[in-house]
Amino acid sequence: NNLMNVGEKLTMTFDTPASNATFAVGNFSDGDIIAWKVYDAAGTVIDSGTIDHGFYDTNGVWVPLPNNENLNYSIDLAQNGLDAGLQFTSMSIEAASNSYKFTGFSVEKAITVEDQHYDFSVVGIDGDGDISNSASFGVTVDGTGSILTGTAADEVFTGGSGADTFLTGGGDDHIADYSLSQGDKVDITSVLNSLEGDHTRLGFSTTSDGKAVLEIYDNAAHDHMVSSVTFDNITDATDLNSLLGKVDIDHTT
């Protein structure tokens, strides 16, 4: 349920250094404290801080935020007074007091054609120091588009301009900006290869606000959906054939 309790820590590691990042939490209430740290390649802490549920006003009076607040917090080393060229390769956040939900994370990096590939991983560590969950993600840049690789978890893909390939790995994924005219492609091969038997089927549905959903079932009866892809910007598909006419699906097995 991604609830972080006291002593639990989430660590994110990147193969390419970054100088700023943003993370999001929910259920942030009075008394909650988040402790964060960023590390260089040697594992040395180069910056750290805490986030309280509130702030001091101009008169020095503590003003608590509303309970169950959703919070986006940005870490920028230059703005924190550190050298402009300083970068980190991993960061961690943990609950220093009470608990809250970790709801999202982003890291910014200018990717050039020469970079080719960018990987990062996320590891959850419980209060005893055991790894409770982990996932890895990757983006490949070839100059004309990107290859975005997902995992068995739920992802939100944004390809941007160019011909992008979205490699879904399972879970219930979202594609924010699919464009057939730009040459975008959705590759569900990994999901199909993970299933046994020859009765896998594709299905179709829409969300409550009309977004098209590609469903993947592991049997002919369509009663066990194992994965889905929601196209956030496709709202005019009426059935599976209609959707397949708007989306390039690669399912080579």
Side-chain angles (χ1 to χ4, degrees), residues 111-116 140-147 161-164:
I111 301 178
T112 64
V113 176
E114 289 76 18
D115 285 326
Q116 293 299 317
T140 300
V141 179
D142 62 9
T144 58
S146 304
I147 300 175
S161 60
D164 303 309

Side-chain angles (χ1 to χ4, degrees), residues 213-224:
V213 181
L214 177 70
E215 302 170 333
I216 304 174
Y217 295 84
D218 68 354
N219 57 43
H222 279 208
D223 59 5
H224 184 210

